[in-house]
Amino acid sequence: MALRVFNTLGRKLEEFTPLNPPRVGMYVCGPTVYGHSHLGHAKSYVSFDAILRWLRLSGYQVAYVQNITDVGHMTENDEDAGQDKLVAEARRRGLHPMAVAEIFTRSYFEDMDALNVLRPDISPRASGHIPEQIECARLLIEKGNAYVNNGSVYFDVASFWKYGRLSGRNVEEMEAGARVEVNPEKRKPADFALWKRAEPGHIMRWKSPWGEGFPGWHLECSVMSQKYIGVTLDIHGGGLENQFPHHECEIAQGECTTGQPFCRYWLHNNMVTLDGQKMGKSLGNSVCLKDLFSTTEPLRDRAGNILVEKSFEPAVVRHFILTSHYRAPLDFSNEALKGAEAGSYKLRDAVREIHKAALTRAVHAKSEPGAQATGSAAAATTLAPGATAPELGATARATGATALEQCSAAAKSDAVRTALTNVVRRFADAMNEDFNTAAAIATVFDFIRQTGTWVREGAPAEDLLAADALMQRLVGDALGLKWQDTAGGAAAEHERNALIQVLVDLRNDARKTKNFALGDQVRQRLAALGIELKDGPTGTTW
RNA sequence: GGUGGCGUGCCCGAGUGGACUAAGGGAGCGGAUUGCAAAUCCGUUUUUCAUGGGUUCGAAUCCCAUCGCCACCUCCA
């Protein structure tokens, strides 16, 4: 099944065909680094991360570029500067705006790393591409698409007939609409700035042919995407709210300078709400990711109502985001997060179970002469690092959609092979239909019911290894779910497990002699340390 | 005010004309298992898809109206 994506240009599902396969040039609007990332950022970048991962797993060589906007918003005298506490704080501490940008750029990557969002191949900074932006503005003036007025440069919207096509807007109608205030320097209200004259109080300023100033808000994306990807992007992603005017302006700038289509597929993610309401700093219900990941007390809104009662690990937040579609709005709430957490941990435990069982049985199979089948040893070798490395996403990334099919082919029994093939098909069908991660996760939940059965019933090592390999591909590589480790390094983990095993053995001895009081004491004291013992038919696990 | 979109069972959320007597997860309940418990497994909770009309042999899915919410028209993922 071919990949279909919902293209905002045309507003319908279209088969995805890159300009120069297997290469794909993908650009996603990055953050403006003036504050810590919040739930909205999480939804956006987790969504595009899933898209990126699926494209790569499908065999595309994706060049992924995402900007860092560090120009244009941090000004000394802007009216909204007073509302931005962080800029206010920066000023109070005497920090340069670039220092503020640096702080929040790092913060952004920290949060995204925690969410297991793959880093872009290139993260260009707007401030690092001023000459390119000046050149673009100059070229647009030369081509008759822009004009200079009093040290600023404006794009003449009337010169580009396609303006408004992406967002389905009619420039004439908008002019009829009541705008709050129209910059008198513009010929038409819909014209937008390519370069703005810097007023005396403006800190971030660069020399240009039109005097000192700074680039317009939309210019960086056109310039930097085309610089690193080429004149025509395959995919441009971003938040729904940026459709107009931001993306519309990007198209205008990009196409007027090159005469070529700017982007083939426009993908827009929807917004988050909190308890059904818009989330916003001004509303006092904004939840920032650092708080959500590590708070030790409930997060409250301005009125003191509890928004989130405890912290949730990044993988749970990621899991929750992926259970909805990227084009659908997602409502965060304490209850929803708790539900996602329970489900996510169920998945985590099942993924760990099949992994452990596969490795254990592979080792046993090796030690039994004659019992070793082809594939088993190789698979065990491939997966062996998984015993010590992070449990997911550590498998070597194969190219092509066949990466998933290879896993199922390695199974020994027909029944398991068929089951794995079905899982691959369902999962791929879901992802190929405009990246339906919710349906993909549903497939994985059905899959863990099967792997659980195979583990209990003692399926052959080859079957378990194949199932485990597929599970890691789906959950780790495609969905990017990587839960926190219970302990530090691999060695520490090993030692810790050995110690717990001693206590478990002692407890089981006590239970055999009906000394339940002692047995329960061991269990309770381990539970107090966060180690939960579970007695099953094949022994005690934790 | 204009434009685009959404509203699914107790909760979150897929599905968008017939395989839907609605995926998957959560929660509750019952059972299996267990010395107890947790986990796991099995079953169950909803003839129902904002509301009211309409089209159709047939609608959660299409049309109209109403209500609510979200986004954009001003920087915002």
Side-chain angles (χ1 to χ4, degrees), chain A residues 97-332:
Chain A
M98 279 306 259
V100 174
E102 197 61 39
I103 288 167
F104 292 115
T105 299
R106 290 177 195 170
S107 168
Y108 168 70
F109 281 123
E110 262 173 35
D111 295 339
M112 293 304 123
D113 288 348
L115 285 166
N116 204 21
V117 168
L118 297 173
R119 295 232 181 164
D121 297 304
I122 303 175
S123 299
R125 270 75 165 170
S127 65
H129 297 75
I130 301 297
E132 289 90 337
Q133 295 182 71
I134 290 174
E135 172 56 20
C136 183
R138 194 198 60 75
L139 192 59
L140 286 169
I141 296 169
E142 187 181 297
K143 286 179 178 276
N145 296 105
Y147 55 90
V148 184
N149 191 343
N150 195 19
S152 293
V153 182
Y154 296 97
F155 187 95
D156 176 14
V157 167
S159 73
F160 183 59
W161 66 274
K162 278 184 184 173
Y163 192 81
R165 219 181 101 195
L166 175 72
S167 54
R169 267 160 222 274
N170 182 326
V171 178
E172 308 302 320
E173 278 177 14
M174 290 194 312
E175 287 186 49
R179 282 176 69 105
V180 183
E181 64 181 283
V182 177
N183 182 340
E185 290 181 359
K186 295 180 185 178
R187 287 183 193 162
K188 293 200 176 154
D191 290 352
F192 58 92
L194 298 173
W195 186 264
K196 292 200 83 174
R197 175 187 68 254
E199 302 299 337
H202 205 100
I203 297 174
M204 299 192 83
R205 54 204 298 145
W206 290 267
K207 283 179 182 159
S208 81
W210 317 286
E212 286 203 355
F214 56 97
W217 305 300
H218 315 297
L219 198 53
E220 58 175 286
C221 284
S222 303
V223 165
M224 299 194 297
S225 61
Q226 291 186 316
K227 171 162 183 170
Y228 297 111
I229 291 176
V231 293
T232 300
L233 320 176
D234 286 304
I235 293 174
H236 187 127
L240 204 59
E241 83 286 359
N242 276 331
Q243 253 176 37
F244 187 91
H246 185 57
H247 295 155
E248 205 72 73
C249 297
E250 281 185 54
I251 294 173
Q253 294 159 349
E255 303 205 350
C256 288
T257 46
T258 67
Q260 300 291 315
F262 176 63
C263 173
R264 294 159 60 76
Y265 301 92
W266 281 91
L267 272 45
H268 288 102
N269 68 276
N270 216 313
M271 319 299 281
V272 306
T273 51
L274 199 59
D275 292 316
Q277 296 301 308
K278 172 186 171 134
M279 186 185 81
K281 273 183 189 164
S282 54
L283 296 170
N285 66 347
S286 182
V287 173
C288 99
L289 295 173
K290 285 190 161 55
D291 289 343
L292 184 64
F293 294 159
S294 63
T295 187
T296 52
E297 46 194 68
L299 302 179
R300 296 168 188 278
D301 66 10
R302 201 168 287 159
N305 303 309
I306 291 182
L307 296 170
V308 180
E309 69 181 25
K310 67 177 203 65
S311 66
F312 290 91
E313 71 164 283
V316 167
V317 175
R318 181 179 178 105
H319 182 114
F320 180 57
I321 290 168
L322 293 178
T323 56
S324 79
H325 189 97
Y326 77 93
R327 273 194 296 113
L330 179 61
D331 186 36
F332 275 86

Side-chain angles (χ1 to χ4, degrees), chain A residues 273-470:
Chain A
T273 51
L274 199 59
D275 292 316
Q277 296 301 308
K278 172 186 171 134
M279 186 185 81
K281 273 183 189 164
S282 54
L283 296 170
N285 66 347
S286 182
V287 173
C288 99
L289 295 173
K290 285 190 161 55
D291 289 343
L292 184 64
F293 294 159
S294 63
T295 187
T296 52
E297 46 194 68
L299 302 179
R300 296 168 188 278
D301 66 10
R302 201 168 287 159
N305 303 309
I306 291 182
L307 296 170
V308 180
E309 69 181 25
K310 67 177 203 65
S311 66
F312 290 91
E313 71 164 283
V316 167
V317 175
R318 181 179 178 105
H319 182 114
F320 180 57
I321 290 168
L322 293 178
T323 56
S324 79
H325 189 97
Y326 77 93
R327 273 194 296 113
L330 179 61
D331 186 36
F332 275 86
S333 69
N334 192 51
E335 289 306 305
L337 280 168
K338 271 163 63 181
E341 182 176 59
S344 193
Y345 285 165
K346 177 179 170 179
L347 179 58
R348 176 196 66 185
D349 292 345
V351 169
R352 287 180 178 172
E353 182 192 43
I354 178 69
H355 185 58
K356 214 167 172 178
L359 292 179
T360 310
R361 204 146 304 161
V363 170
H364 284 294
K366 257 187 188 171
S367 61
E368 288 169 29
Q372 189 178 329
T374 27
S376 160
T381 312
T382 311
L383 295 170
T388 51
E391 70 188 79
L392 294 173
T395 50
R397 177 165 283 112
T399 53
T402 49
L404 301 178
E405 282 148 18
Q406 280 164 4
C407 298
S408 55
K412 186 183 184 185
S413 68
D414 291 341
V416 171
R417 200 177 319 116
T418 305
L420 296 186
T421 305
N422 282 336
V423 168
V424 169
R425 183 182 46 74
R426 273 184 65 195
F427 191 95
D429 282 354
M431 292 302 285
N432 282 333
E433 192 70 359
D434 198 28
F435 312 103
N436 191 336
T437 53
I441 286 184
T443 303
V444 172
F445 269 101
D446 287 336
F447 185 29
I448 65 171
R449 207 170 299 127
Q450 294 179 295
T451 58
T453 306
W454 297 334
V455 169
R456 274 196 309 283
E457 294 177 352
E462 290 87 343
D463 285 350
L464 296 186
L465 285 165
D468 176 46
L470 178 59

Side-chain angles (χ1 to χ4, degrees), chain A residues 497-507:
Chain A
N497 285 341
L499 287 170
I500 296 171
Q501 188 61 53
V502 171
L503 291 167
V504 167
D505 290 343
L506 287 173
R507 170 168 170 269

